[in-house]
Amino acid sequence: MVYESPKTLEVCNVKKENNKVSRLQRAQWLRAAILGANDGLLSTTSLMIGVGAAQEGQWFMILSGLAGAVAGACSMAVGEFVSVSTQRDIEISVNQEHRSKENSSLQEIKIETPKNDQPIAPVRTPAMKVVTKMKEEEENEVLPNPYKAGAASALAFLCGSVFPLVAAMAVGDYTARIVVVVVVASVALALFGGIGAVVGGSCVRSSATRVLVGGWISMVVSYSLLKPLDGITDRKMGKSD
């Protein structure tokens, strides 16, 4: 049986804790990217379906999707930038308050020295050095970057918007175009929902079903609200019966 000293166990525990924190941070970024892509997919698809209900022209549908994708990406970037900036300010304030409390508590500690006035040097073993270094790195952890967060959110939104845009560009017939856009968006929604469930540790089937049903409801509502405008548009363009 191999005996491990308490210091060695402490080093291993610190390493495991750091790896756990690193995995959680990566999972949060991945989940945020999936949610951004899902938002871009559903928002752009619903907008294109609604515009397609009011106007049958292919380029009307494509241009509305492009406009929605750009506007949504900018909105996501600004929102994420403001959110992460606020989080960064809070973390800086908390860290400064924590350091000030530590400094004040250290000033209250009286260090006793021997009669020859020679201070006692603390023993620094290699294990303690590793633990101290890890703790310092954890305390000096890099704060979230609002610029990177905003850019990542905008990019994820645009990636999700690509699916309905490509589907609308590939099909010229009106009815077939609507069907293809809905099918492609449904497959992508189920895929994003499943990936999000895997990252979050939830049930893949139920998560994909919720996302898919929610997407269908959004598409139906958009189509139903804007479909009455089809007759108004036809009359203004001289196409009424």
Side-chain angles (χ1 to χ4, degrees):
M1 181 177 180
V2 180
Y3 172 77
E4 294 183 354
S5 63
K7 294 179 180 179
T8 304
L9 292 175
E10 186 177 1
V11 173
C12 294
N13 291 333
V14 172
K15 288 182 177 179
K16 290 180 181 179
E17 188 65 24
N18 289 340
N19 291 334
K20 180 180 178 180
V21 172
S22 179
R23 289 197 301 269
L24 288 175
Q25 290 176 347
R26 287 196 297 267
Q28 290 176 356
W29 276 97
L30 181 58
R31 187 172 182 83
I34 294 173
L35 291 176
N38 185 79
D39 191 8
L41 170 66
L42 184 56
S43 299
T44 306
T45 302
S46 299
L47 177 61
M48 293 174 65
I49 292 295
V51 172
Q55 178 56 250
E56 297 183 1
Q58 182 180 15
W59 283 106
F60 280 100
M61 195 173 184
I62 294 174
L63 290 177
S64 65
L66 287 174
V70 174
C74 293
S75 176
M76 288 286 292
V78 173
E80 192 70 15
F81 179 85
V82 173
S83 176
V84 175
S85 297
T86 304
Q87 178 186 353
R88 180 187 179 93
D89 294 339
I90 294 174
E91 290 185 6
I92 291 175
S93 177
V94 171
N95 291 337
Q96 289 177 350
E97 182 180 357
H98 182 68
R99 291 192 187 97
S100 62
K101 288 182 179 180
E102 286 185 346
N103 293 334
S104 61
S105 61
L106 288 175
Q107 290 176 359
E108 296 176 357
I109 298 176
K110 297 180 180 180
I111 303 176
E112 296 182 358
T113 58
K115 295 181 179 180
N116 56 3
D117 295 333
Q118 295 293 329
I120 300 175
V123 180
R124 297 293 298 274
T125 62
M128 290 300 298
K129 291 180 180 179
V130 173
V131 174
T132 304
K133 183 178 180 181
M134 288 182 177
K135 290 182 178 180
E136 290 177 353
E137 291 178 354
E138 184 178 356
E139 292 177 356
N140 298 327
E141 185 180 359
V142 179
L143 295 172
N145 191 325
Y147 296 97
K148 290 182 179 180
S153 298
L155 182 60
F157 192 95
L158 290 174
C159 289
S161 302
V162 168
F163 291 92
L165 286 171
V166 171
M169 292 178 183
V171 181
D173 182 70
Y174 170 71
T175 304
R177 184 169 65 252
I178 295 292
V179 172
V180 170
V181 168
V182 172
V183 171
V184 171
S186 300
V187 174
L189 284 171
L191 178 62
F192 289 154
I195 296 175
V198 172
V199 175
S202 58
C203 178
V204 175
R205 180 179 298 178
S206 60
S207 178
T209 302
R210 285 195 300 267
V211 173
L212 187 57
V213 173
W216 285 344
I217 293 174
S218 177
M219 295 177 201
V220 170
V221 170
S222 300
Y223 186 88
S224 301
L225 289 177
L226 295 179
K227 184 60 178 177
L229 297 179
D230 187 17
I232 299 175
T233 304
D234 289 343
R235 284 195 296 271
K236 287 187 176 181
M237 298 180 66
K239 295 182 180 180
S240 61
D241 296 332

